[in-house]
Amino acid sequence: MNVSGIAEFIAALLILVGSMMAVVSAIGIIRFPDVYTRSHAATKSSTLAVLLTLSGAFLLFWINQSFVSVRILLGIAFVFLTAPVSGHMISRAAYRRKVKMSDTTVEDELYDVLHGEGKEREK
Amino acid sequence: MIELMLSAALVMFGLAGAIALIRIIIGPSLPDRIIALDMIGVILVSVVAVISVILNTRAFLEVILILAILAFISTIAFSRYIERGAIIERKRDR
């Protein structure tokens, strides 16, 4: 196995690990109890999945066709910048719409800000 | 070997999309469904990259950028709609 074969194998392995990470993220989105933990699972691990996959595709194009794709690099940068922002926006919208947390939540530091000062939380 | 790994990656992306689709169907609140839709958009970006590697063509690389931008804009618009009830607000004093 020569050098370019090894590099090709590493790039395909990056794509495979990225797809496994997508499956892990999907399992997290189906198993977690409330919307905030689901957003935690979906945002971080699917961002990592798409970063690994696009890096693998970039490496494969570079090795096979000796073509440096600026579009894939821009896609990596764009996903890396915007996925946390969209996760933050959707979690904040859910919190302001008073979507219920799970029953095992013990701490909600913004409860007074949202519901008015000094009100006891019902459990 | 490489083709087998790429095909396995495609199958896993399909599995992840199916599980996210289950969450869209049974999701109790609207933000759950939007999180799952955002995740499906991200998965679709990866699927386009893998398919363009398999077909050995460069013609689909713009689709990656367009899909990423569209997923971001739609998620932001939906979250503004949930939070304030309007996506684009009017000016009041004029």
Side-chain angles (χ1 to χ4, degrees):
Chain A
M1 207 180 208
N2 50 359
V3 176
S4 96
I6 293 172
E8 205 169 330
F9 181 76
I10 287 174
L13 197 64
L14 276 182
I15 292 182
L16 199 62
V17 172
S19 67
M20 285 176 191
M21 203 55 75
V23 173
V24 166
S25 164
I27 290 173
I29 214 176
I30 202 75
R31 294 267 306 165
F32 276 162
D34 62 350
V35 63
Y36 309 102
T37 48
R38 273 175 216 142
S39 142
H40 169 86
T43 307
K44 292 177 185 62
S45 46
S46 70
T47 306
L48 180 63
V50 72
L51 287 189
L52 285 174
T53 310
L54 288 185
S55 309
F58 174 74
L59 278 180
L60 275 178
F61 273 113
W62 199 7
I63 295 161
N64 286 333
Q65 306 188 5
S66 67
F67 171 64
V68 178
S69 167
V70 187
R71 295 183 182 88
I72 291 185
L73 287 182
L74 266 179
I76 290 174
F78 192 81
V79 169
F80 190 62
L81 281 181
T82 58
V85 178
S86 59
H88 165 78
M89 287 285 283
I90 198 67
S91 305
R92 192 178 67 171
Y95 191 76
R96 286 211 178 152
R97 281 293 141 196
K98 303 188 174 84
V99 177
K100 279 210 185 315
M101 295 186 185
S102 70
D103 293 334
T104 53
T105 307
V106 293
E107 187 72 38
D108 183 8
E109 291 192 346
L110 291 177
Y111 191 87
D112 290 339
V113 181
L114 193 62
H115 294 80
E117 197 72 33
K119 281 178 75 174
E120 278 302 314
R121 61 195 67 180
E122 67 274 6
K123 197 63 179 176
Chain B
M1 186 67 187
I2 304 292
E3 284 79 13
L4 183 65
M5 286 165 83
L6 292 179
S7 308
L10 270 187
V11 170
M12 282 192 186
F13 279 126
L15 186 64
I19 297 176
L21 192 64
I22 294 175
R23 175 50 74 191
I24 290 179
I25 293 170
I26 68 171
S29 66
L30 192 52
D32 285 314
R33 297 191 166 104
I34 294 166
I35 287 170
L37 265 179
D38 188 42
M39 201 183 124
I40 282 186
V42 166
I43 286 173
L44 212 55
V45 168
S46 328
V47 166
V48 169
V50 176
I51 282 179
S52 74
V53 167
I54 286 178
L55 294 181
N56 206 3
T57 175
R58 307 173 192 167
F60 299 147
L61 296 185
E62 288 90 356
V63 181
I64 294 173
L65 269 176
I66 299 292
L67 271 181
I69 292 170
L70 279 183
F72 175 62
I73 290 176
S74 60
T75 308
I76 293 299
F78 260 120
S79 62
R80 279 180 76 92
Y81 169 68
I82 292 174
E83 195 170 333
R84 307 181 185 176
I87 299 174
I88 302 171
E89 293 171 352
R90 286 183 215 144
K91 278 184 190 161
R92 298 223 180 87
D93 45 353
R94 196 169 46 160

